[in-house]
Amino acid sequence: VQLALLTSGDSIKHATHQIDKLGLLANLQALLRVATNIMASQNDLPLSMEIKGQKNRVIISRIERTTFIVACRNSIEERQTNLKVEATAKLLKTVLVIGSNIQDLWKIR
C-alpha cells in the first residue's frame, strides 16, 4: 500500500502521506458524482470502485458518510490485497459506527 486515506465531505480525516487536499477532494467528489449518476440509472448505488493504471491502482470504498481510498502497486496478489482492503473497510465501518454512537450519547447528556 502506497497511500491510504479516509475522507468525509470536504475534509481528509486521515492520510498516511501528505496529499493535495483541495485537488483530491474536488476530483473525488466529481468521480463519486459520476459513479452515483451511472449507478442510479441502474437503480443502484456505488459502494466501491477500482481505477487501474499500468503500474498502480486505486481502490475507493464508500463507508457510511466517508470514503476510504487505498493506492497500491499492481501485483500478482491482487485478490489478497482486495480482501485486505475489504476487511479494513469493514473494520473502519465498525469504528465509525461506534464513534457516531458515542457522539450521540454525549449529545443526549
Side-chain angles (χ1 to χ4, degrees):
V1 171
Q2 297 168 309
L3 169 73
L5 48 102
L6 188 65
T7 69
S8 179
D10 61 353
S11 67
I12 296 175
K13 298 296 182 188
H14 179 76
T16 57
H17 295 288
Q18 286 291 99
I19 191 156
D20 172 20
K21 175 185 171 183
L22 189 59
L24 173 100
L25 292 173
N27 289 312
L28 177 63
Q29 288 172 355
L31 178 63
L32 292 174
R33 191 170 25 258
V34 169
T36 299
N37 289 340
I38 291 169
M39 295 297 286
S41 73
Q42 302 299 310
N43 295 319
D44 209 347
L45 291 170
L47 299 176
S48 67
M49 65 183 96
E50 181 177 326
I51 302 168
K52 193 170 188 177
Q54 289 182 339
K55 297 178 185 177
N56 303 297
R57 62 192 179 113
V58 177
I59 304 164
I60 303 168
S61 303
R62 295 289 296 152
I63 306 170
E64 300 295 320
R65 291 173 282 172
T66 64
T67 305
F68 178 48
I69 304 165
V70 176
C72 56
R73 295 205 182 280
N74 292 336
S75 70
I76 55 174
E77 298 175 2
E78 193 169 300
R79 181 164 164 67
Q80 184 179 3
T81 302
N82 287 348
L83 290 173
K84 288 181 180 180
V85 170
E86 287 174 23
T88 303
K90 286 180 184 177
L91 180 60
L92 278 171
K93 181 177 181 175
T94 301
V95 170
L96 291 168
V97 167
I98 290 170
S100 177
N101 290 339
I102 290 171
Q103 282 183 336
D104 290 345
L105 281 174
W106 281 105
K107 287 178 186 175
I108 293 172
R109 294 179 180 192

